[in-house]
Amino acid sequence: MFTEICYLNYDILISFIIATSALAISPGPDNIYVLMQSISHGKSSGLATVSGLISGCLVHTTLVAFGVSVLIKKNEYLFLIIKLFGAAYLLYLAYKVFKSDASLHLKSGHVPKKTVLQLFKQGFLMNVLNPKVSLFFLALFPGFLFSTTLSDVTQFYVLGFLFMAVSFIIFSSIAILAGTISNYIQQHKHIGSYLKWLQIVVFVGIAVFILFSKK
């Protein structure tokens, strides 16, 4: 009876979690910044930065949830347009990663010391004031709608909180294991190339998934 009232496609949710995990592990400005704060000033600095960054995702989730939901309700064809945009944007990100340098540069000497509160605020603002996060959510979330009974707004929030939870776990692990990760990167210079191709595969894979997904 419950499954008839609230149908959930768990395969889609699992795919979303896997994709989010792969992207969170891949090197980017946010997790590299967390890593450098932890190496330079300790785990608490890294965790404070993580908390700020993840909190900012809630703002982007809200903007995308209500904005996209309104568009979808007004015109079903807009959902197709949003999906095409999302796939194109993710392919563009894959291309940018392909053209980027695969090497990872860790320089801890130029990371200023800040209080935990300052780092939280900075992480929050870094996320909220970055329009690329909303753009990424706009590209990612519509292709992973997982229920025919739940409202679009509810589904977007579920995806947003899953994204935040997965990212928090992985970013916090980076902060806690910063020393070990840094040493491993220094000893294995090829790791950057592997992570680069991981990003490309994930971006392309999500783009294909979104193109063939159905609302």
Side-chain angles (χ1 to χ4, degrees):
M1 182 68 178
F2 178 75
T3 54
E4 293 179 359
I5 297 173
C6 184
Y7 173 75
L8 305 179
N9 190 324
Y10 291 102
D11 290 339
I12 291 179
L13 287 174
I14 292 171
S15 299
F16 180 80
I17 291 171
I18 293 172
T20 299
S21 300
L23 292 175
I25 292 171
S26 302
D30 290 344
N31 53 18
I32 292 295
Y33 186 73
V34 169
L35 180 62
M36 298 318 302
Q37 283 291 347
S38 298
I39 292 173
S40 301
H41 306 300
K43 299 173 185 177
S44 60
S45 294
L47 290 172
T49 305
V50 170
S51 299
L53 287 168
I54 301 304
S55 297
C57 290
L58 185 58
V59 176
H60 294 287
T61 298
T62 300
L63 292 173
V64 172
F66 285 97
V68 174
S69 297
V70 170
L71 290 176
I72 291 175
K73 285 180 181 178
K74 286 185 176 181
N75 190 334
E76 281 291 328
Y77 288 106
L78 285 174
F79 181 69
L80 175 61
I81 295 173
I82 290 171
K83 285 205 310 177
L84 292 174
F85 157 77
Y89 181 67
L90 290 166
L91 291 174
Y92 166 72
L93 293 179
Y95 175 75
K96 283 191 66 178
V97 174
F98 175 74
K99 298 294 289 184
S100 67
D101 182 8
S103 59
L104 300 177
H105 305 286
L106 303 180
K107 297 180 181 180
S108 59
H110 304 289
V111 181
K113 174 68 174 177
K114 296 183 178 180
T115 66
V116 169
L117 182 58
Q118 286 175 328
L119 287 170
F120 176 85
K121 289 180 178 178
Q122 180 172 321
F124 181 80
L125 291 174
M126 280 174 59
N127 190 292
V128 170
L129 297 179
N130 184 359
K132 292 182 180 179
V133 180
S134 282
L135 200 60
F136 179 69
F137 281 12
L138 177 60
L140 183 66
F141 287 5
F144 285 90
L145 295 178
F146 55 88
S147 175
T148 56
T149 52
L150 291 175
S151 70
D152 293 333
V153 171
T154 300
Q155 292 182 73
F156 278 122
Y157 269 108
V158 170
L159 293 174
F161 281 117
L162 280 176
F163 184 93
M164 291 166 64
V166 170
S167 299
F168 182 81
I169 291 170
I170 292 176
F171 279 27
S172 295
S173 299
I174 290 173
I176 294 170
L177 302 174
T180 302
I181 294 172
S182 177
N183 291 335
Y184 186 85
I185 292 174
Q186 298 291 350
Q187 294 171 11
H188 300 80
K189 301 295 184 181
H190 57 276
I191 189 66
S193 180
Y194 291 149
L195 292 174
K196 173 180 177 177
W197 281 103
L198 172 64
Q199 278 186 293
I200 293 172
V201 169
V202 172
F203 280 138
V204 172
I206 295 175
V208 172
F209 179 87
I210 286 175
L211 283 175
F212 289 96
S213 65
K214 296 180 180 179
K215 186 175 183 297

